[in-house]
Amino acid sequence: TTAASEEDTIMTEKRKQQEKAQAADACDKKARVDTAATDDDSSAAIPVTILSGFLGSGKTTLLKHILTSKDHGLKIAVIVNDMSELNIDGQTISAVKTKREVVTLENGCICCTLRGDLVREINNIRKLNSFDYILIESTGVAEPQQVAESFCVDPETEDLAPNPEQMLWNVARLDTCVTVVDLVNFAGYLSSLKRFQDVFQDGLDDSDEGDGEGEKSISELMVEQVEFANVILLNKTDLVSEKKIQVTKQLIKTLNPKAQVIESTYGKVDLTNILNTKTFDMKEAEESTGWLVSLQDGVTASHGEADEYGVTSFVYRARKPFHPHRIQKFMSQFFCFAEDWSASAKEVELEVEAKAEDAKKLEKTYGAILRSKGMCWIAGRDGYLCGWAQSGRILQLTMNAPWYCETDEEDWVGVDSEEDREAIRGKLDGEYGDRRQEIVFIGTELKREALEEGLNKCLLSDDEMQEHTVTVPLGTYPDQLRPVGLGFEGPMSIFLIARHGQNQHIRVLPGTYLSLENLALNVWDDDEDLARSIRAVKVWLDESVQAEKGVLIATLRPERYEQHSMSLNLLPSDGLEGETYRRIRVEIVPRKGVKMSPEELLMSCEVHIMGKVEPFSYGEEEEHSDEDDHEACGHKH
C-alpha cells in the first residue's frame, strides 16, 4: 500500500524552490542592467550592502568605520534593527525623517516580520535623492538569504510595496552580502546546543516565542550566515593565535569556497571589499555552499592549506538504504536530533555535558564533524528522499521530496535543460532508481575510513536487501526517527506498523474518511523472557501530534499474535496547520517489578494497523458525526 507522505506540503515546497530559482535568474539579469547604468543616471537602482553577524562580532564597529571613513566619498544611508549599540556623534547620524543617515527598524527582524518596513524605508531613502549608497545592519538572528530575497523578483514579496515600481528589484541593487565572524567565539558557537534567544536578544521582539526566530540554534544560524555571504570578515584577529585564525579561515573556506575571506581587527578593512564591489550574484550565492560544491564536483574539498590545518571534507556515497534504527543509534553518538532538541533543548544540553568524556573519545576515533549535508535513503521510507542537514551538534532528517524515479519526467522540479535531464537519467539504476546516500562531511581531523566503516554498518546487509522492497509498509523496520506524516488519498487500503517509541502520524484529507478495522500484536518469538516481561500493550489515538494523552482504542495482551477487530471512523481534522495530523501511539506496560530499557521496549513487539480510506459522502454527514461523538468518548464500536 502506498500513501501520499505530506505530498501537498512537499510539492508546494518544490514549486517554491523552482520559483526562487527563476527569481534568482531574473534578479541577476536585473543586476547586470543596473550595474551598467552610469553614476549620474538618477534612475539607476541604489546599491546596497547587507552586514550580518552575531551581537559582539564587530558588526557595529565595522559600520562606524565605514561611516567615519573619508576614503569612499559616498553619502551613505543606514538601516539598522536596533540603534542602541550605535554610539556615533549626533551630528553624523540621526533619523531619516530629518534627511540624515539612519533608519531604525524595531520590534522584529528584517528577514521576516519587518520585510515590508524594509521595502518602504529603502523607497523613502531613495526619494530623498541625498544618498549614493545604503548599508543594512541586520540582527544576529537574521538570515541573510531571506533579506537578499527581498531584492529579487519573488512571489512571496510582491505584496510588500503599494505598487510594482516600488519593489526593491526596481529601485535597489544588492551589491555585497557581508558576514562578520567573531574569531574568539566562532568555534564555541558552532558546537553550541543553545537557542539563539538563550544567549542573544538582538532582533527579537517580546512576542517572539514558540516557533519564533529566536528558537533556532546558534550553530544553525551561524552556518547559514557563513554559507550565504560573498564576503566574510574574520574579526578580532588580535585576540586569538595565528593557528586559530588559520584553522577558522580554512574551515570557513570549506563551508563557503567561493566567498572572499578577509582578516580584520576592530572592523578595519579596505572598504573597496565592502562597498560597490558589484560582486553579489543571487544564483551563485545559493550554489556556493561547500557541501553543494563537493557534491557537484564529485571531489573532496580537502587540499592545500586546509590539509595543513586539519580541515577536511569528503563525500559519503552508497547505493543501499540505511536501516533506520542503526543510523539513528550511530548518529546519536555524535549529535542530538533536531526534534529531540526542539522539545527539550536545556535537558539535552545537560545530557551532552554529562557525556563530555565520551565525546572526546568519539572525536579521537572519528574526528570533529562540524557540518554535514546531503541526501539519504532510509529503508521503510523508500518513496521519499530524506534531507540530511547538520550544523554543530544538531542533526535534522526531513522527508524532502519524491525520488526522481517516483516522478514522471515532465514533473521533475528544478530541471531546466536536456542536459539536466540526462544527468538525472544517469543516476537511475535498476529497480532502486536514483535512491542513494550522498552526504558531505566537513570538519577537523576527520577519520574518513572510520566514519565510512561506521556508516556502512548502518546500511541494510546483503541478506536484508534480499528481503527488502521499496513498497514495504511504513514502520516495517524499527524506526525512532521523526515520523513520516501520512496524508491518505482514497479509496485505498492501509497497513502501518507501530511500536513503543515509534509512532505513526496520520491525516485524513478532505472528502474522505479513514476506517480503522484491525489491530494485530506481534511479539518476537526469539526472546521468550522479554515477551513474558510484558503485561499489556496499549494503543492510543491522540488528536494531535502535540497531545500528551488521547483516547485508548485497544489493550492487547502479549500472546503470539492477538487480533483485535474494530470499526473506528476518522474524519478530517479541523486543527490548525501542524495539528491536522493525529498520532497512533503504542505503550508497553511491563509486569510489576520489571524494568525495560528503551531499546527493549522498541524491539520487543509491534502492532500492525489495518484499515481503509473511503470517499466521504455528504449524505453520510450526520451518521459520521455521531460516530465522531463515540470516538471522543473512547468507546470501541
Side-chain angles (χ1 to χ4, degrees):
T1 301
T2 59
S5 174
E6 297 179 307
E7 188 162 358
D8 50 349
T9 303
I10 289 169
M11 294 309 294
T12 299
E13 185 61 31
K14 287 173 72 178
R15 283 193 295 272
K16 285 182 180 179
Q17 291 172 1
Q18 192 170 37
E19 288 170 352
K20 285 184 177 180
Q22 294 169 348
D25 287 336
C27 186
D28 295 336
K29 291 176 183 176
K30 180 73 167 57
R32 286 193 290 273
V33 171
D34 291 336
T35 54
T38 59
D39 291 337
D40 59 353
D41 182 2
S42 61
S43 66
I46 190 167
V48 177
T49 288
I50 298 173
L51 302 180
S52 300
F54 287 176
L55 187 68
S57 64
K59 194 171 62 220
T60 301
T61 303
L62 171 62
L63 182 58
K64 292 179 184 179
H65 171 55
I66 295 171
L67 294 180
T68 57
S69 173
K70 298 179 180 179
D71 296 338
H72 51 69
L74 296 170
K75 296 179 180 178
I76 299 175
V78 179
I79 297 176
V80 295
N81 261 161
D82 183 359
M83 213 172 90
S84 61
E85 294 293 319
L86 200 60
N87 184 21
I88 302 178
D89 187 273
Q91 291 182 343
T92 306
I93 293 178
S94 60
V96 74
K97 291 179 181 178
T98 58
K99 298 190 179 181
R100 297 293 177 87
E101 296 168 345
V102 171
V103 179
T104 306
L105 303 183
E106 297 176 333
N107 296 321
C109 176
I110 57 174
C111 75
C112 46
T113 56
L114 298 181
R115 288 177 85 178
D117 291 350
L118 178 65
V119 172
R120 183 174 60 255
E121 295 301 344
I122 287 179
N123 274 281
N124 289 341
I125 290 170
R126 193 167 180 273
K127 289 175 184 176
L128 294 174
N129 291 322
S130 301
F131 301 104
D132 310 309
Y133 210 92
I134 295 176
L135 278 175
I136 298 175
E137 184 194 18
S138 64
T139 61
V141 77
E143 298 172 40
Q145 180 168 352
Q146 290 190 24
V147 181
E149 285 171 356
S150 300
F151 292 82
C152 295
V153 180
D154 181 356
E156 294 185 13
T157 60
E158 284 183 344
D159 60 347
L160 296 181
N163 60 70
E165 289 76 19
Q166 294 182 358
M167 292 312 302
L168 293 190
W169 52 82
N170 290 320
V171 300
R173 169 179 61 82
L174 185 53
D175 180 82
T176 315
C177 190
V178 181
T179 289
V180 184
V181 171
D182 178 355
L183 275 169
V184 175
N185 294 304
F186 179 75
Y189 291 155
L190 206 55
S191 61
S192 175
L193 278 169
K194 293 183 181 296
R195 302 177 197 270
F196 183 88
Q197 66 187 18
D198 294 336
V199 180
F200 305 103
Q201 289 300 315
D202 59 316
L204 304 180
D205 60 30
D206 294 337
S207 64
D208 188 37
E209 56 186 32
D211 59 351
E213 287 294 309
E215 291 288 310
K216 278 195 170 185
S217 73
I218 287 176
S219 59
E220 183 182 5
L221 283 167
M222 180 82 262
V223 169
E224 285 176 354
Q225 292 181 3
V226 167
E227 287 185 334
F228 188 76
N230 69 310
V231 175
I232 299 170
L233 202 65
L234 301 186
N235 201 29
K236 304 184 183 180
T237 55
D238 57 320
L239 299 180
V240 297
S241 67
E242 180 62 25
K243 181 178 180 180
K244 187 166 187 176
I245 293 171
Q246 294 306 320
V247 169
T248 305
K249 188 174 185 178
Q250 296 311 318
L251 176 58
I252 284 176
K253 283 186 174 181
T254 307
L255 290 170
N256 187 345
K258 296 184 180 180
Q260 181 183 10
V261 182
I262 304 169
E263 299 175 24
S264 74
T265 300
Y266 293 106
K268 293 182 179 179
V269 294
D270 183 349
L271 296 183
T272 60
N273 295 314
I274 304 290
L275 306 174
N276 262 331
T277 68
K278 300 180 176 65
T279 57
F280 183 81
D281 181 296
M282 186 66 174
K283 189 173 183 181
E284 184 175 278
E286 291 177 332
E287 297 176 353
S288 65
T289 55
W291 67 270
L292 187 56
V293 171
S294 294
L295 285 183
Q296 291 172 341
D297 293 348
V299 296
T300 71
S302 166
H303 59 278
E305 289 182 272
D307 283 335
E308 179 183 348
Y309 292 100
V311 178
T312 56
S313 71
F314 71 92
V315 183
Y316 174 76
R317 290 186 171 92
R319 294 307 292 252
K320 288 181 179 179
F322 285 131
H323 187 291
H325 182 57
R326 292 201 288 265
I327 191 64
Q328 188 267 345
K329 193 173 181 180
F330 180 66
M331 297 315 297
S332 291
Q333 299 177 97
F334 307 94
F335 311 118
C336 170
F337 281 86
E339 56 271 22
D340 298 328
W341 176 84
S342 296
S344 52
K346 291 183 180 178
E347 289 81 353
V348 168
E349 188 176 356
L350 291 173
E351 184 179 336
V352 168
E353 289 175 357
K355 296 179 179 178
E357 289 302 316
D358 293 338
K360 290 179 181 178
K361 292 178 183 177
L362 281 171
E363 188 168 325
K364 188 174 181 180
T365 303
Y366 298 104
I369 306 170
L370 301 175
R371 175 68 159 152
S372 61
K373 195 167 175 73
M375 64 188 74
C376 60
W377 172 17
I378 307 292
R381 304 175 176 219
D382 302 81
Y384 285 85
L385 177 157
C386 184
W388 175 300
Q390 169 257 323
S391 299
R393 305 292 289 275
I394 300 172
L395 171 63
Q396 184 167 12
L397 301 181
T398 53
M399 308 305 289
N400 280 350
W403 294 100
Y404 282 114
C405 61
E406 292 286 318
T407 311
D408 294 334
E409 282 197 21
E410 57 268 24
D411 295 327
W412 287 355
V413 173
V415 180
D416 302 319
S417 66
E418 185 58 29
E419 183 180 354
D420 292 339
R421 293 184 184 278
E422 280 300 320
I424 293 170
R425 292 183 191 118
K427 295 177 181 179
L428 302 178
D429 183 23
E431 66 175 303
Y432 298 120
D434 57 319
R435 296 178 177 89
R436 64 196 184 280
Q437 318 296 349
E438 203 168 70
I439 308 163
V440 178
F441 289 88
I442 298 172
T444 56
E445 308 295 345
L446 292 181
K447 309 296 191 294
R448 178 173 181 171
E449 290 185 2
L451 276 168
E452 287 186 332
E453 181 181 355
L455 290 166
N456 288 340
K457 289 179 180 178
C458 298
L459 300 171
L460 292 192
S461 66
D462 290 341
D463 289 341
E464 287 171 326
M465 286 300 293
Q466 290 291 326
E467 301 293 327
H468 181 73
T469 68
V470 297
T471 57
V472 295
L474 185 65
T476 294
Y477 299 92
D479 183 349
Q480 288 184 294
L481 298 173
R482 182 180 180 179
V484 178
L486 294 174
F488 296 111
E489 295 179 314
M492 63 184 297
S493 298
I494 66 162
F495 179 25
L496 309 172
I497 299 173
R499 298 176 179 83
H500 187 109
Q502 179 179 349
N503 306 320
Q504 294 293 359
H505 294 178
I506 59 174
R507 179 161 67 104
V508 184
L509 299 179
T512 65
Y513 70 94
L514 169 62
S515 177
L516 296 179
E517 298 178 334
N518 191 277
L519 302 176
L521 176 64
N522 188 19
V523 181
W524 301 118
D525 56 10
D526 56 353
D527 192 339
E528 293 185 5
D529 290 339
L530 189 60
R532 284 195 291 266
S533 300
I534 301 172
R535 182 166 65 89
V537 176
K538 296 182 177 181
V539 183
W540 297 87
L541 177 66
D542 300 328
E543 191 58 32
S544 74
V545 299
Q546 293 88 13
E548 294 184 5
K549 192 172 183 180
V551 176
L552 179 65
I553 58 175
T555 299
L556 308 176
R557 303 298 172 182
E559 282 84 15
R560 285 284 177 259
Y561 199 82
E562 183 180 6
Q563 297 273 359
H564 179 86
S565 297
M566 60 194 306
S567 177
L568 180 60
N569 297 325
L570 304 179
L571 297 178
S573 172
D574 294 328
L576 300 174
E577 185 178 355
E579 298 179 352
T580 58
Y581 287 91
R582 294 179 174 97
R583 178 175 58 197
I584 297 179
R585 178 169 48 89
V586 171
E587 177 191 1
I588 290 179
V589 182
R591 294 190 181 278
K592 188 175 182 179
V594 174
K595 292 185 178 180
M596 299 177 69
S597 68
E599 179 95 357
E600 290 173 329
L601 290 168
L602 175 71
M603 305 297 287
S604 60
C605 66
E606 60 188 33
V607 175
H608 295 188
I609 304 159
M610 288 151 277
K612 62 184 179 181
V613 178
E614 298 283 3
F616 179 76
S617 170
Y618 289 101
E620 301 170 12
E621 183 172 1
E622 184 175 345
E623 174 187 345
H624 288 297
S625 296
D626 292 341
E627 290 173 350
D628 270 0
D629 293 339
H630 289 301
E631 175 192 329
C633 296
H635 297 160
K636 289 178 285 187
H637 55 283

